[in-house]
Amino acid sequence: MQSLQDYLTGLLNHRKFQEDVLEKTKQKAPFALVLCEIDYFKEFNDKHGHVLGDEVLKLVAAGFERYLPAKEGKAYRYGGEEFAWIMETAVESEVTETIQQINTHLQMYPYTLEDGKLPVTLNYGIAFYQKGERPAEIIQRADTLLYGAKAAGGNTLKFDHKKNEEKQLIM
């Protein structure tokens, strides 16, 4: 299990994420791919040091573990301050509900310093699997959406509303 787990956060690691995305696309079943990152994380590290940054990463990971139950999906440390989820749903409202729970948790229980609280917010890019899509394609779509959320000013989520729709020909 150690080879599949991030040592710092306890979440599954990038390698396991890649394996699971490949497996999910082979199954051709609906799922949501969420990429997210901590807002202004570089500033956290620059201002407060890497030890604090590590504590913030653990705080966020704990929120994921609490509000993203294994039956609904898995959370991964993608790299640095970036995380990924694979959710067993193609329903936007279910993804949004989980994000709202995590964001509320982070607002209610921010990282606390001696001189006050350190707010932690996240950006999210959410893509839904489209039949026949390769792993790199859905990951790229979620990544593009994540950059869009970040560019929108932070503490934002962006959905990919593109859906595969089958059209019935009427004769």
Side-chain angles (χ1 to χ4, degrees):
M1 184 62 186
Q2 277 185 318
S3 68
L4 303 176
Q5 194 171 32
D6 177 64
Y7 72 96
L8 180 66
T9 63
L11 297 176
L12 297 169
N13 65 18
H14 188 99
R15 174 184 172 183
K16 180 65 172 152
F17 169 73
Q18 294 291 338
E19 291 172 1
D20 287 353
V21 172
L22 177 61
E23 184 59 33
K24 291 299 291 177
T25 58
K26 284 182 180 178
Q27 293 171 1
K28 295 182 172 45
F31 70 94
L33 179 76
V34 179
L35 292 182
C36 61
E37 71 172 13
I38 301 170
D39 276 330
Y40 313 111
F41 190 72
K42 181 178 178 347
E43 287 82 357
F44 287 174
N45 281 337
D46 290 350
K47 184 174 181 180
H48 302 287
H50 292 279
V51 172
L52 172 83
D54 287 352
E55 292 301 314
V56 169
L57 291 170
K58 291 178 198 175
L59 175 79
V60 170
F64 295 162
E65 288 289 318
R66 181 172 183 176
Y67 292 102
L68 187 65
K71 67 181 172 63
E72 295 174 12
K74 297 178 185 174
Y76 308 81
R77 173 124 182 248
Y78 194 73
E81 74 277 13
E82 296 177 334
F83 299 90
W85 309 343
I86 296 174
M87 293 187 70
E88 305 291 332
T89 184
V91 180
E92 189 174 307
S93 62
E94 291 177 13
V95 177
T96 302
E97 182 180 331
T98 300
I99 288 171
Q100 287 172 337
Q101 289 173 331
I102 290 167
N103 288 353
T104 299
H105 176 80
L106 291 172
Q107 287 171 355
M108 290 176 61
Y109 305 102
Y111 190 80
T112 305
L113 301 167
E114 289 179 16
D115 58 349
K117 295 178 181 180
L118 181 62
V120 178
T121 58
L122 304 172
N123 293 305
Y124 300 88
I126 302 104
F128 293 96
Y129 172 70
Q130 298 173 21
K131 264 192 175 169
E133 192 168 35
R134 295 188 324 255
E137 293 169 328
I138 188 169
I139 293 168
Q140 180 61 50
R141 285 191 301 113
D143 194 45
T144 299
L145 292 160
L146 175 59
Y147 277 95
K150 197 167 138 178
N155 197 22
T156 303
L157 63 87
K158 295 277 185 184
F159 276 98
D160 180 12
H161 293 285
K162 184 177 175 186
K163 302 272 187 195
N164 260 355
E165 295 179 6
E166 293 183 18
K167 305 256 189 229
Q168 185 177 13
L169 294 175
I170 299 172
M171 300 194 174

